[in-house]
Amino acid sequence: MKIMTMNTHSLVEPDFGMKRERFADMILKEQPDLLAIQEVNQTAAAQVLSEEQLVGYVVCPGSEVLVREDNYAAWLSGRLLRDGLFYHWTWLPAKLGYDRYDEGMAIFSRRPIAEAEQCFTSRSQDYHNWKTRKLLGVQVDQSWYYTVHMGWWDDEEEPFASQWNRMEAFLYEKKKKEQPVWLLGDFNSSSAVRGQGYDLICQGGWRDTYEDAEQKDTGITVEEVIDGWRERVSELTGAGVMGMRLDYIFSSRRVPVMRSQVICNGKNYEKVSDHYGVMIEIKDAGEEF
């Protein structure tokens, strides 16, 4: 089974049209079973798509924003379908970004989505506040998969720890019932910096699939200074970090991860965003670990 995450940067990314084609080509080749993507945008003023145009789309309860014609996830679904690869998918906007985009996240699954759900992880629930954050999850078979886009550890208005605590509270019952839970996405927390977000997650019992993988690469998902990190470079330089691992796939239990690899980094497929993606391969149920 292949599980993948990517912060696409969507319509904000320079040359996004060319890059989303590259991204689609990569998906067609790898055919992940589950794909979580963040910063999934649409122009808020674009024309609304009809239900007939949204093949495989599952509406997340509580979402009041309609899917529009330049929606990155809708385009991706259609592009993949054109080449014979069908996905069930859902999209959830969290805020208005750059004063013009409905910005959110999406999940694609090759198996049917039984249920979709959401919650606010930020204190803010203001759609016009760019720091507003949400969590989007789907149930596929017996597992829950959530696409995550966190704030920063030291943000005075929306600190990482507060967002994480809300997320943990929301997921508590599923973890208590020992349902398999996956968190995939851009956590905006470097694994090289101690005592911050990455350590908080691991101390809560979540397994970093990169660390559990039998085969792995460097894990670096950001090599350049990007928005939100320009003023935070000094703490990474002090830690001797030349690149950052900000994007992760966490599991609520230890799973048999055969391989963890960074994708779309210019070496393993062409770059498509200011972040690189992560793909893991796990053994199917019943295989010996």
Side-chain angles (χ1 to χ4, degrees):
M1 180 179 182
K2 291 182 180 179
I3 303 175
M4 183 183 297
T5 183
M6 166 72 77
N7 182 326
T8 65
H9 214 208
S10 291
L11 309 186
V12 183
E13 180 69 17
D15 300 320
F16 84 90
M18 174 189 65
K19 291 178 180 178
R20 69 181 183 178
E21 288 283 355
R22 292 177 180 173
F23 188 49
D25 288 342
M26 182 275 295
I27 294 172
L28 285 165
K29 184 171 182 179
E30 293 292 344
Q31 300 192 11
D33 298 278
L34 195 291
L35 167 67
I37 52 180
Q38 305 85 44
E39 293 196 41
V40 184
N41 303 335
Q42 66 178 19
T43 305
Q47 183 175 341
V48 175
L49 293 175
S50 66
E51 290 185 13
E52 291 74 20
Q53 293 172 293
L54 297 173
V55 179
Y57 180 59
V58 176
V59 179
C60 182
S63 177
E64 300 177 352
V65 178
L66 299 174
V67 181
R68 299 181 181 273
E69 63 181 358
D70 63 352
N71 183 287
Y72 188 98
W75 177 89
L76 183 61
S77 171
R79 172 69 172 78
L80 298 174
L81 187 62
R82 190 184 77 191
D83 286 300
L85 184 56
F86 172 77
Y87 278 96
H88 305 270
W89 63 283
T90 187
W91 171 73
L92 177 71
K95 61 190 177 185
L96 189 68
Y98 297 91
D99 296 322
R100 60 178 299 193
Y101 298 117
D102 294 312
E103 180 185 310
M105 52 197 66
I107 300 177
F108 286 65
S109 173
R110 298 197 67 184
R111 294 186 60 80
I113 293 173
E115 185 179 352
E117 66 178 14
Q118 61 163 307
C119 77
F120 283 98
T121 56
S122 58
R123 294 172 179 169
S124 170
Q125 297 187 14
D126 180 0
Y127 195 71
H128 294 273
N129 184 342
W130 69 275
K131 292 186 179 182
T132 297
R133 306 277 180 171
K134 279 189 172 184
L135 179 72
L136 170 64
V138 299
Q139 183 181 15
V140 177
D141 297 327
Q142 300 303 310
S143 297
W144 279 91
Y145 301 87
Y146 294 87
T147 180
V148 178
H149 190 193
M150 299 291 288
W152 295 269
W153 180 261
D154 57 357
D155 192 295
E156 294 183 0
E157 298 173 300
E158 291 289 348
F160 181 103
S162 294
Q163 294 181 4
W164 176 252
N165 290 338
R166 291 186 189 90
M167 190 185 306
E168 280 271 75
F170 182 75
L171 299 174
Y172 175 76
E173 289 299 326
K174 292 183 177 67
K175 287 186 68 182
K176 184 178 179 181
K177 294 176 183 177
E178 297 188 350
Q179 290 180 265
V181 181
W182 298 81
L183 304 179
L184 309 94
D186 174 5
F187 285 77
N188 268 319
S189 186
S190 172
S191 59
V193 180
R194 301 275 65 84
Q196 295 190 4
Y198 179 80
D199 285 350
L200 181 63
I201 296 169
C202 294
Q203 289 164 6
W206 293 89
R207 304 288 307 197
D208 180 356
T209 56
Y210 172 82
E211 294 295 344
D212 287 340
E214 296 174 6
Q215 300 177 31
K216 69 189 77 172
D217 50 22
T218 65
I220 297 300
T221 61
V222 173
E223 288 186 312
E224 299 177 359
V225 180
I226 59 174
D227 288 348
W229 282 93
R230 302 183 192 285
E231 67 277 18
R232 296 176 171 90
V233 173
S234 58
E235 67 182 26
L236 298 173
T237 304
V241 178
M242 300 305 293
M244 298 181 286
R245 191 158 69 94
L246 301 181
D247 303 79
Y248 308 90
I249 299 176
F250 290 103
S251 174
S252 60
R253 59 176 68 177
R254 192 180 183 206
V255 294
V257 184
M258 296 183 291
R259 185 177 301 105
S260 177
Q261 55 185 322
V262 175
I263 54 172
C264 299
N265 61 352
K267 301 173 184 177
N268 187 15
Y269 297 103
E270 295 181 85
K271 296 179 182 180
V272 299
S273 174
D274 58 350
H275 283 246
Y276 307 149
V278 177
M279 180 173 68
I280 66 170
E281 294 181 58
I282 63 174
K283 295 178 181 178
D284 293 331
E287 287 191 86
E288 182 179 355
F289 179 30

